[in-house]
Amino acid sequence: MNNWKLKEIVVMSVLSVVFAVVYLAFLPVGKILVGFFGPIGYDLIFGIWFIVSIITAYIIRKPGAAFLSETIAAAVEVLLGNAVGPMLLVSGMIQGLGAESAFAMTRYKRYDLFTLMLAGVMAAVFSFVWGYFLSGFAALSTGYVLAMFIARIISGAIISGVAGKVLSDALAKTGVLSSFALGKEYRRKRAA
Amino acid sequence: MFLHNVNPTVKALTIIGTVFLLAFVFDPVTPVLYIVWTVIVTFLFGTFKKRYYLYYFIPFTLFAFGMFWTTIVFSDTASGTTGTVSFLGMEFPTEDIWTAAALGLRVLAFASLSLLFLFTTNMVHFILSLIQQLKLPPKIAYGVMAGYRFLPMLKTEFQQIRAAHRIRGVNRPDSWKEKLLQYQRFAIPLLAGAIRKAERTAIAMESKGFTGAKERTFYRPMKVRRKDWLFPVMMFGMLGVTIAFSLYFGYFSWYDGQL
Amino acid sequence: MSQDVIRVENLTLHYEERKKPVLSRLNFSMEEGENMLILGPSGSGKSSLTHCLNGLYPRELDGSMDGEVYVQGRRTVSYPAGEMAQHVGVVFQDPETQFCMITVEDEVAFGLENLNTPYESMVEKVEKALSWVGMEDYKNISDLSGGQKQKVALACILAMEPEVLILDEPTANLDPVARKEFIQLLKKLKEELSFTLLVIEHKLEGWLDLLERVLIISEEGELAYDGPLHDHLKTYAREIHEMGIQLPYATRTALERGWTPPYPLHIEKMPSADLPANPHREEPAGEVLLKAEDVHWKSILRNINVTFHEGEWVAIVGENGSGKSSLSRILAGIQPPGKGTVSLHGRSLKKWKENDLRQEIGYVFQNPEHQFITDAVYDEVAFSLQHAGMKEAEWTRIVEETLKFCRLDGLEDQHPFLLSQGQKRRLSVATMIVEDQGMLFLDEPTFGQDEKSTSDLMSLLKEKHENGTTIVMITHDMELVDKYATKVLVMNEGEITFDGQPERLWSRSDLADHHLELPPREQWKRSVLKRKEPAYVSS
């Protein structure tokens, strides 16, 4: 934690707070989708719930960014009164670990689209395995569970990976990230 | 009141511990009993506006029912050997109903436990206690606290951006692409403002001599006192009693890979 | 013998992203107990200097810092992180971003905890610091006004008992009354406590009585002047003004009128001879444009009945939280009223189609960034025209004209967020006049703007007004009200308590109750009248 600057930590926590609210706002959306498609409804948009880990890691680029931001977001969700309660904290940590694992695989060197999508996929895989035990997916038919799994992976890659990158890049253009890793990279690219 | 004075870390660990144990219980009776117990404890030993408790509790109930319903409808019907139950004019295997009720009520038990915590804990005290009892690094703890303070500010910002966009005539997206773009348009000013403010806050904190060092004195010392242990003893003890009760009457079922 | 508390030698500061230095070969020192003002136009690196003095730079700097900064005779780089807070304390500009705790008490204690102050003395110090600034009876920071937050920020620093107190544009985000109060408080503290005071500002009004010495930094970050404040100002006001520093009203007027130096610094010193007549205000000759009848909204607005005529320039004034913004939003049709009706051209706003309404009424929000939706200046202005289905040849012409009118030509490809404060403001105005809206609402358009951008903006609005646009503007600046408005509305606790010509408002005796002050021109007039009064009136 010592190589983190305080401003990086505060920015990370603010991002987590913002997205905790976004996460809560998307729960009813998920519920509507579940109404239409059954439990797989959540999986279609599940990627939204990993997005802060990818955005934060992409902006700050330090070990722990993905894990911590997702954990803080989950904690804030719990504090705001999420319907799942304290268990959500564990889910958040597991999703964060999933995303973190992708960045760790590149030794925190690569932050291209592929890595970000991979982070989304890993978060999806980790969270699915956890959800399998926690929420009783096993009660569902195998084919259905497989479909859920695939939906969640795609959602993780697209919504959190691709959309997370697009959003962060748009943010870099505003200049507010100039003292963070992504902003610096953006400046170097423009200068070149 | 008693619950407000329990050390927040002890309280949180107790809640997490009971939630963890309840996650392995697969019958509906144990959670029902434990919900009743938790709610009674909350109301008896906590002071808060009771009305708000209901506001929070109702959505949980809906969520729990949703869980119950989807589990019934989408569950694997292979095992149906124990007969059927008629529910809302449809026939379902008893076993499925039983499992579905267990899952739904478990959610509700989690909810009542987390509400106990939320309604009787000061968040700043909780974070201070995490630093002092669980050695959470102050850099993270105070960073998070600073971020958490932004919540009300973000709410006003959000409303302002919405109104400002309305004036620009962007609030009625007519295509998918336009809709996605709109999310981004919304997010950028909100996040940009928040990041700038976060950076300034960090500078202000450092200017007040904050380094994130572990050695610091506390204006609000958080201690674990002997009487704090009463809470975990009570909560875990009652969980034991409930399980014993269910076992005695033959309802109890433990996780053994049925899901 | 007094020792230098601060000594700066050859300080040059470069940011990674900029070629030119922010600060360039700066040399100065401060003795114990001295009071100094640092003046400079926006962008002259004044705030960067703060970071150099309190040791944040070079530690947190993306760039390079050359030269030496000594605090209490010791180089800032040789202090361990955190220790500097015992010597140099800073109150920053933005009241919203100086806190990390929920309650006032905890926030003051936060600094003391950082310094490892033992628990017993901490309690006492917190109490003492809060009583100095008169904030001991407040609990949650989020319930405080901007002025109160700045007082708490000051208490946080005072509690740590630093030898040097730096105030970095501490009143830039406050309304004039809160600003006065804050400066008054400092004066009092300066008498009670001993500290070296360094104030950074781009606005001189109010500080003259407190600070004796001034350091002027040019736009290039170089030292332009270091010496006594009053004498310099009396002679070189024009040079200072041209750097983009806002002078006190008396001095500014002297320059405008071409008086000869020494220039007056206070309104009381302004000559009686050159007193201007009341500004000419046209009676509303136009037709009724917008009318609110018996409007109520939540518990924020009550019994609103008001009429706007074509060609008026209406100023809405009143304390923060009195409902000014809510009122303007309801009038502009952004927020439907809870009860009552607002009608435009005799037709209720409810019956207007959103798109048609937007072509009639524009609204400029307080924070320009909130209104930006594209990532280039040109697209920003073109947006609504493109969506209105206009021919390309036509909208490109209008966009170019509007950009030119708002002096934004040449910035077409810039990202709106990267513009200067003044440019951002003008861009937000541009987006709201591009469809030639007949009515324009502005929420504190000059808030946080320096003098140059304020005057640019006002002349732009004036031209719009002369071409027939009806303007409604929320403001705290009574000078602007006096200069431009044909009508004033005073809001107080959700009600309109005054509706009429500015002159009638100035003659009322209860202005202070509404957190309002007289415009400087009127103060001048009164001071002249007072001078003529017989001598038996005791002062």
Side-chain angles (χ1 to χ4, degrees):
Chain A
M1 226 41 232
N2 285 334
N3 64 341
W4 278 67
K5 290 185 173 175
L6 182 64
K7 66 181 170 195
E8 290 170 332
I9 293 179
V10 181
V11 164
M12 169 178 76
S13 90
V14 168
L15 287 173
S16 306
V17 168
V18 172
F19 282 98
V21 177
V22 172
Y23 287 3
L24 286 175
F26 270 88
L27 276 179
V29 178
K31 264 179 220 165
I32 294 169
L33 289 173
V34 169
F36 280 116
F37 306 109
I40 201 171
Y42 274 121
D43 297 284
L44 297 175
I45 57 160
F46 219 96
I48 195 79
W49 288 296
F50 314 138
I51 201 166
V52 77
S53 55
I54 281 144
I55 289 180
T56 311
Y58 183 47
I59 290 177
I60 295 176
R61 306 190 175 184
K62 285 199 171 151
F67 171 71
L68 281 169
S69 57
E70 194 71 24
T71 305
I72 297 169
V76 173
E77 271 184 280
V78 174
L79 296 184
L80 291 175
N82 175 280
V84 194
M87 271 324 217
L88 187 85
L89 190 64
V90 186
S91 309
M93 292 168 107
I94 286 170
Q95 293 168 10
L97 274 180
E100 190 75 41
S101 71
F103 296 109
M105 277 186 251
T106 72
R107 294 196 188 159
Y108 302 99
K109 293 249 163 63
R110 275 177 63 182
Y111 288 90
D112 51 8
L113 183 62
F114 175 79
T115 316
L116 300 189
M117 286 173 81
L118 181 67
V121 170
M122 291 311 289
V125 171
F126 273 55
S127 82
F128 198 87
V129 172
W130 166 247
Y132 190 86
F133 290 111
L134 185 75
S135 334
F137 293 159
L140 308 170
S141 63
T142 319
Y144 197 83
V145 172
L146 198 64
M148 284 168 75
F149 184 55
I150 291 168
R152 190 177 294 193
I153 283 184
I154 294 173
S155 171
I158 303 295
I159 300 186
S160 58
V162 178
K165 183 172 190 306
V166 170
L167 197 62
S168 312
D169 286 335
L171 207 51
K173 281 191 200 157
T174 67
V176 296
L177 298 177
S178 63
S179 56
F180 301 89
L182 175 61
K184 285 181 191 171
E185 184 198 66
Y186 183 75
R187 206 163 58 223
R188 271 197 302 277
K189 273 189 192 157
R190 287 195 79 186
Chain B
M1 282 298 284
F2 161 65
L3 280 179
H4 298 266
N5 296 332
V6 176
N7 179 286
T9 303
V10 173
K11 206 187 325 182
L13 291 178
T14 308
I15 299 288
I16 290 172
T18 46
V19 163
F20 186 75
L21 290 177
L22 277 170
F24 288 96
V25 174
F26 269 79
D27 72 85
V29 178
T30 315
V32 164
L33 294 174
Y34 206 66
I35 291 167
V36 172
W37 158 254
T38 311
V39 173
I40 290 174
V41 168
T42 315
F43 275 69
L44 226 48
F45 301 115
T47 29
F48 49 86
K49 285 212 179 97
K50 311 289 185 254
R51 200 154 38 99
Y52 286 134
Y53 190 90
L54 280 181
Y55 287 159
Y56 272 81
F57 205 81
I58 288 165
F60 285 110
T61 322
L62 294 177
F63 184 80
F65 185 77
M67 187 94 182
F68 170 71
W69 185 242
T70 44
T71 316
I72 293 181
V73 176
F74 290 96
S75 68
D76 230 342
T77 43
S79 54
T81 48
T82 45
T84 58
V85 171
S86 143
F87 183 73
L88 292 175
M90 287 177 270
E91 295 280 317
F92 296 104
T94 321
E95 202 173 289
D96 284 356
I97 297 267
W98 198 247
T99 316
L103 287 177
L105 286 164
R106 191 167 65 178
V107 165
L108 216 52
F110 293 173
S112 61
L113 282 165
S114 66
L115 286 184
L116 180 151
F117 184 79
L118 287 181
F119 276 83
T120 64
T121 313
N122 175 319
M123 284 313 137
V124 174
H125 293 181
F126 178 43
I127 295 178
L128 286 172
S129 168
L130 288 180
I131 303 173
Q132 296 175 49
Q133 269 79 56
L134 293 189
K135 307 293 166 216
L136 181 69
K139 216 169 179 174
I140 296 187
Y142 284 91
V144 169
M145 210 132 51
Y148 194 65
R149 275 199 75 243
F150 277 58
L151 256 180
M153 202 149 54
L154 288 166
K155 195 180 155 205
T156 21
E157 289 263 304
F158 178 80
Q159 287 162 342
Q160 270 167 7
I161 293 171
R162 198 168 52 182
H165 280 191
R166 199 173 153 196
I167 276 286
R168 303 276 334 252
V170 289
N171 274 15
R172 281 151 291 113
D174 32 25
S175 67
W176 244 92
K177 209 183 147 202
E178 191 62 13
K179 179 137 197 174
L180 282 178
L181 200 62
Q182 196 190 339
Y183 275 123
Q184 189 185 326
R185 281 184 190 136
F186 226 99
I188 295 302
L190 191 74
L191 291 175
I195 288 173
R196 234 185 252 140
K197 286 190 180 120
E199 215 175 333
R200 273 189 234 138
T201 306
I203 287 178
M205 287 165 74
E206 286 186 323
S207 299
K208 283 181 201 165
F210 182 71
T211 56
K214 292 220 163 71
E215 310 72 43
R216 60 189 281 116
T217 52
F218 290 97
Y219 185 65
R220 299 193 188 280
M222 294 286 162
K223 293 200 176 79
V224 181
R225 294 187 182 81
R226 256 222 176 109
K227 62 178 183 193
D228 288 323
W229 297 109
L230 188 59
F231 181 68
V233 166
M234 216 168 89
M235 294 307 283
F236 283 112
M238 197 58 193
L239 185 59
V241 171
T242 340
I243 290 172
F245 180 88
S246 305
L247 269 175
Y248 184 77
F249 288 95
Y251 296 118
F252 187 75
S253 138
W254 192 253
Y255 178 76
D256 61 352
Q258 62 262 68
L259 285 188
Chain C
M1 203 197 96
S2 58
Q3 190 210 341
D4 284 347
V5 197
I6 284 184
R7 199 165 78 242
V8 172
E9 288 176 0
N10 255 320
L11 177 65
T12 300
L13 188 72
H14 278 272
Y15 281 133
E16 217 173 70
E17 70 263 26
R18 295 213 309 198
K19 279 200 192 87
K20 283 191 197 156
V22 196
L23 295 170
S24 174
R25 282 161 304 165
L26 226 51
N27 281 293
F28 70 92
S29 59
M30 280 183 84
E31 283 175 13
E32 214 178 302
E34 226 185 333
N35 303 317
M36 187 164 88
L37 173 67
I38 294 189
L39 278 181
S42 33
S44 63
K46 302 189 298 293
S47 297
S48 310
L49 180 59
T50 311
H51 296 160
C52 294
L53 295 180
N54 82 343
L56 198 68
Y57 288 169
R59 199 158 29 89
E60 290 283 324
L61 175 69
D62 294 317
S64 67
M65 178 176 154
D66 302 305
E68 295 297 342
V69 177
Y70 296 91
V71 167
Q72 298 288 25
R74 198 173 145 191
R75 295 168 64 212
T76 50
V77 282
S78 71
Y79 283 93
E83 208 188 298
M84 200 55 147
Q86 294 174 24
H87 303 288
V88 180
V90 189
V91 174
F92 294 94
Q93 173 183 345
D94 184 0
E96 306 304 327
T97 56
Q98 300 193 49
F99 309 116
C100 61
M101 304 295 283
I102 308 289
T103 67
V104 169
E105 215 185 332
D106 284 340
E107 187 63 48
V108 178
F110 174 72
L112 296 168
E113 291 174 337
N114 295 337
L115 302 180
N116 285 320
T117 313
Y119 176 77
E120 295 73 27
S121 54
M122 197 140 49
V123 177
E124 185 193 323
K125 283 183 179 184
V126 170
E127 221 169 88
K128 206 165 61 183
L130 284 173
S131 76
W132 280 331
V133 300
M135 291 296 295
E136 58 271 63
D137 298 328
Y138 295 86
K139 193 161 185 288
N140 286 333
I141 295 176
S142 56
D143 299 337
L144 305 180
S145 69
Q148 290 170 326
K149 282 182 185 151
Q150 287 302 69
K151 286 182 190 171
V152 172
L154 182 60
C156 293
I157 302 303
L158 291 175
M160 294 191 281
E161 297 167 351
E163 292 99 19
V164 184
L165 182 59
I166 301 182
L167 309 178
D168 188 352
E169 304 200 14
T171 61
N173 291 17
L174 305 185
D175 67 51
V177 176
R179 177 181 155 86
K180 245 185 200 161
E181 254 179 52
F182 188 84
I183 297 177
Q184 214 57 47
L185 171 67
L186 265 177
K187 249 180 232 174
K188 188 195 82 159
L189 289 173
K190 192 69 208 178
E191 279 157 22
E192 289 168 13
L193 312 166
S194 66
F195 50 81
T196 308
L197 179 64
L198 181 59
V199 179
I200 296 178
E201 264 293 353
H202 69 260
K203 210 169 167 180
L204 265 168
E205 197 86 61
W207 292 108
L208 290 170
D209 304 337
L210 189 60
L211 307 157
E212 300 102 23
R213 179 179 159 197
V214 67
L215 201 90
I216 301 179
I217 299 180
S218 70
E219 208 168 342
E220 292 75 39
E222 286 167 3
L223 189 63
Y225 174 80
D226 178 2
L229 169 62
H230 291 228
D231 297 342
H232 188 66
L233 193 57
K234 278 177 186 159
T235 328
Y236 294 101
R238 187 171 299 280
E239 286 76 358
I240 297 176
H241 177 71
E242 274 161 9
M243 288 174 65
I245 292 161
Q246 189 171 337
L247 299 174
Y249 177 77
T251 324
R252 196 151 28 99
T253 313
L255 291 182
E256 279 166 24
R257 302 290 173 86
W259 299 342
T260 47
Y263 302 118
L265 304 182
H266 294 93
I267 287 174
E268 292 74 35
K269 297 281 158 57
M270 292 173 80
S272 13
D274 220 2
L275 187 70
N278 290 349
H280 171 67
R281 297 186 210 280
E282 281 169 42
E283 286 290 324
E287 289 177 22
V288 172
L289 181 62
L290 189 78
K291 193 169 183 179
E293 285 164 294
D294 207 25
V295 165
H296 291 249
W297 187 60
K298 293 187 178 170
S299 56
I300 298 171
L301 296 176
R302 274 173 294 135
N303 303 320
I304 302 291
N305 283 291
V306 64
T307 309
F308 298 88
H309 297 88
E310 275 173 7
E312 276 184 324
W313 186 319
V314 183
I316 305 180
V317 301
E319 208 179 331
N320 282 337
S322 60
K324 300 189 298 289
S325 294
S326 310
L327 174 64
S328 66
R329 282 181 200 191
I330 285 175
L331 292 173
I334 302 171
Q335 171 71 51
K339 227 180 85 188
T341 47
V342 181
S343 48
L344 177 70
H345 293 306
R347 201 162 131 221
S348 167
L349 288 187
K350 271 185 249 163
K351 294 184 183 147
W352 283 80
K353 265 201 230 145
E354 179 92 21
N355 279 342
D356 297 339
L357 190 60
R358 290 303 139 234
Q359 286 169 19
E360 298 285 333
I361 302 180
Y363 193 110
V364 177
F365 280 73
Q366 202 182 97
N367 183 347
E369 288 184 359
H370 288 165
Q371 279 183 290
F372 298 154
I373 49 183
T374 69
D375 44 21
V377 169
Y378 189 91
D379 299 343
E380 201 63 47
V381 180
F383 184 83
S384 54
L385 298 178
Q386 286 166 330
H387 281 70
M390 201 181 270
K391 279 201 191 105
E392 190 171 340
E394 196 171 347
W395 63 254
T396 45
R397 183 182 56 80
I398 300 179
V399 171
E400 272 153 32
E401 270 173 25
T402 311
L403 284 171
K404 206 162 197 171
F405 181 72
C406 295
R407 304 209 295 103
L408 292 164
D409 40 334
L411 295 166
E412 286 83 357
D413 299 330
Q414 272 274 19
H415 194 290
F417 278 69
L418 294 171
L419 299 174
S420 75
Q421 287 303 322
Q423 290 164 341
K424 274 181 197 162
R425 172 62 70 210
R426 291 205 299 281
L427 178 58
S428 66
V429 172
T431 60
M432 283 297 130
I433 59 174
V434 70
E435 289 185 274
D436 203 24
Q437 288 90 332
M439 192 173 194
L440 188 60
F441 284 81
L442 302 110
D443 191 350
E444 300 201 34
T446 60
F447 185 83
Q449 304 269 311
D450 60 22
E451 197 187 14
K452 180 88 176 60
S453 18
T454 299
S455 74
D456 282 353
L457 176 71
M458 292 317 289
S459 60
L460 196 147
L461 290 178
K462 192 154 182 259
E463 201 178 329
K464 250 344 234 179
H465 181 242
E466 277 160 8
N467 293 332
T469 306
T470 307
I471 292 177
V472 182
M473 146 183 110
I474 297 176
T475 186
H476 284 294
D477 189 335
M478 298 312 261
E479 196 183 336
L480 293 182
V481 176
D482 187 54
K483 218 163 155 185
Y484 298 102
T486 59
K487 180 165 120 168
V488 195
L489 301 180
V490 178
M491 290 293 292
N492 189 26
E493 291 176 3
E495 286 185 277
I496 297 178
T497 51
F498 176 89
D499 176 352
Q501 283 214 340
E503 270 68 32
R504 264 185 48 220
L505 179 62
W506 309 152
S507 64
R508 280 173 64 139
S509 54
D510 58 348
L511 283 183
D513 301 344
H514 291 98
H515 242 240
L516 299 175
E517 51 176 12
L518 282 174
R521 185 190 58 82
E522 192 64 25
Q523 291 177 28
W524 180 12
K525 197 164 100 189
R526 301 215 174 164
S527 117
V528 169
L529 288 175
K530 213 181 199 168
R531 284 174 232 166
K532 286 179 185 155
E533 272 174 30
Y536 58 74
V537 177
S538 67
S539 50

